[in-house]
Amino acid sequence: QLQVEESGGGLIQAGKSLKVSCAASGGAFGLYFMGWFRQPLGKGREFVAGISRSKDTFYADFLKGRFTISRDNAKNMVYLEMNDLKPDDTAVYYCAGKFGYIPHDAPQHYLHWGQGTQVTVSS
């Protein structure tokens, strides 16, 4: 089955940019819809962005154009470029995979999750 592993998180100042990565393995990457979720401390997990195998993209409204999701099917990689970061963006960022072609923003539809990478934005 599909396995994913996030990397690239860290401590960053507000207004700066950061790009996190997700490496997938163990499955047919091209058969999965991939998504990024985040979970602030003490809060629930929320959808950030998703991308289909054909690179159609979907974003949470609260991002207001600041984030960009992309994928490289040849390398089994998914990326999330985060621009103009704000303290409220502080969270553990998770990469997740969902078999099939139908996009969903609810975490229960995703069966394959990474351990997450911490992004901390200071003021």
Side-chain angles (χ1 to χ4, degrees), residues 6 19 22 25 45-46 51-52 57 61 66 69 71 75 85 100 111 114 122:
E6 305 91 341
K19 188 174 184 177
C22 171
S25 62
R45 191 172 300 176
E46 62 184 0
I51 186 167
S52 73
T57 59
D61 290 339
R66 294 186 297 117
I69 188 171
R71 71 190 290 166
K75 297 181 178 180
L85 283 162
L111 300 181
S122 62

Side-chain angles (χ1 to χ4, degrees), residues 18 29 77 84 98:
L18 187 67
F29 184 64
M77 295 290 293
D84 190 25
K98 179 183 69 67

Side-chain angles (χ1 to χ4, degrees), residues 50-122:
I51 186 167
S52 73
R53 65 183 181 88
S54 58
K55 301 181 181 180
D56 294 320
T57 59
F58 306 84
Y59 296 95
D61 290 339
F62 63 78
L63 296 177
K64 297 183 179 180
R66 294 186 297 117
F67 291 8
T68 301
I69 188 171
S70 61
R71 71 190 290 166
D72 186 335
N73 289 333
K75 297 181 178 180
N76 290 359
M77 295 290 293
V78 185
Y79 307 97
L80 183 69
E81 182 180 356
M82 301 178 286
N83 300 310
D84 190 25
L85 283 162
K86 306 179 185 302
D88 285 347
D89 294 321
T90 296
V92 177
Y93 282 73
Y94 295 94
C95 179
K98 179 183 69 67
F99 186 82
Y101 308 98
I102 306 301
H104 289 286
D105 59 4
Q108 59 264 34
H109 289 100
Y110 295 77
L111 300 181
H112 311 284
W113 294 85
Q115 292 182 310
T117 185
Q118 176 71 47
V119 175
T120 302
V121 184
S122 62

